[in-house]
Amino acid sequence: MKKYLFLIVLLCGALMLQAENYPYRSDYLWLTQPDHADWIYKTGEKAKVEVGFYIYGVPQDIEVAYEIAPDMMPATAKGKVKLKNGRAVIDIGTMKKAGFLDLRLTATKGDRKFQHHVKVGFSPEQLKPYTKNPADFDSFWKANIEEARKTPVGVSCKRVEEYSTDEFDCYLLKLKTDKQHSIYGYLTKPKKEGRYPVVLCPPGAGIKTIKEPMRNTYYARNGFIRLEMEIHGLNPEMTAEQFKEITSAFDRENGYLTNGLDNRDNYYMKHVYVACVRAIDYLTSLPEWDGRNAFVQGGSQGGALALITAALDTRVTACVANHPALSDMAGYLDNRAGGYPHFHRLNAMLTPEKVKTLEYYDVVNFARRITCPVFLTWGFNDNTCPPTTSYIVWNLITSPKDSLVTPINEHWTTFETNYTQMLWLKEHCK
């Protein structure tokens, strides 16, 4: 089922902590309102955006410089407009091909510059991937998973007192996922005896500890066994300084995403994708598993890994993903936005050999193969995982699907959205 829910939150004091598009407790505020309520136009249809700029809630009659650009691309038009009563309407034109236009705004007040942007879509339901679908894609992944399964999942486990309550227990796990690699994870499960659905939560990008395990304990309180995993085999109890040193060894925070990209068999992410399947192996072996429901849920890189796991493992019965990374990563070669980690910004990263490797790891080729229900969320103003690539993924999914499209969102979701996704998973329990 295809369902669009549009959340356009321009100003709401109760949500200011969440509304990262606007500076928290700031004296100034941008308001941008496209003349289509859903921020979507047909190709060839002109779009206009009303722009407002306020300081202390008082409209400012100042000059605003603007650029108009395709999603994540250099500007194709520039101009200036004088606000009257703090407002002006900018005609940003149209697109002949499906995609997004980004209106980038700059206001100067005294010696300070204030910036904002807003993206609108043109026939995004027509967006298609640049990334090719290899003929041996399925056999490649089948062989790698079978090879990993020659090594039994080894588990070391300790209860973490500080993250356990009278409602649930939390354990720090180390899982052996193949003969070379392990991952760590925090497992939370209800104290009450019973059999429960399991949820795998892969991480966002970076070399870092697992975020505070207590932030998602509403899963355990609602009758789920949940595993929040990392992908590098690094104990999350290490210090911040130790994580920083390891990050430096990879040259930068996400340098692992370029490691071994010249060859599909040597790429760093191969063992990561396989590890997600092995984590499902572990979760479905638990005596407390209900024997029916195995879910995956994540955002950004974690959203990508959730979709990938859903495609690789038919035991996954439903998938929730926010603004998935690793999606149509070579799209820049088609002169449009590609997916995180935006390899076009690095020298010699989109060579024919590396683009060929990416075909085996790009989310678009997993999205084609998903058969379970999917709940996908993304925002238009996201410059980390741009809406162009999220729509491409959405357009490729043929299984039952629901979407929550939040145009104003950058690279974030609210607690309300995350909780709604947990409720969606409860509705999909068999």
Side-chain angles (χ1 to χ4, degrees), residues 164-183:
S164 299
T165 72
D166 57 356
E167 294 180 274
F168 56 83
D169 290 310
C170 180
Y171 300 90
L172 177 60
L173 307 180
K174 183 179 181 182
L175 301 180
K176 182 79 170 172
T177 55
D178 62 35
K179 63 182 178 182
Q180 287 182 275
H181 301 98
S182 298
I183 61 164

Side-chain angles (χ1 to χ4, degrees), residues 41-47 68 76 91-97 101 120 122:
Y41 302 77
K42 294 179 180 178
T43 51
E45 187 175 14
K46 285 191 175 182
I68 302 168
T76 54
D91 185 341
I92 67 172
T94 189
M95 299 185 78
K96 295 180 180 179
K97 295 172 60 178
L101 280 181
V120 299
F122 294 86

Side-chain angles (χ1 to χ4, degrees), residues 200-263:
L200 175 68
C201 180
I207 300 171
K208 56 198 175 188
T209 189
I210 299 171
K211 290 184 178 180
E212 175 61 59
M214 297 298 285
R215 69 182 181 144
N216 291 313
T217 55
Y218 56 89
Y219 273 85
R221 291 195 299 271
N222 279 274
F224 292 93
I225 297 171
R226 179 181 174 91
L227 176 62
E228 293 208 29
M229 61 176 278
E230 59 83 49
I231 61 172
H232 305 294
L234 301 176
N235 191 327
E237 295 181 321
M238 291 194 313
T239 66
E241 185 60 33
Q242 288 172 318
F243 277 105
K244 185 177 179 181
E245 289 177 353
I246 294 168
T247 295
S248 297
F250 274 102
D251 296 325
R252 57 192 177 281
E253 183 180 7
N254 300 329
Y256 62 90
L257 289 169
T258 67
N259 193 329
L261 193 53
D262 288 301
N263 185 303

Side-chain angles (χ1 to χ4, degrees), residues 267-278:
Y267 186 36
Y268 184 90
M269 295 301 285
K270 184 175 78 171
H271 84 266
V272 174
Y273 291 13
V274 170
C276 290
V277 175
R278 302 309 314 276

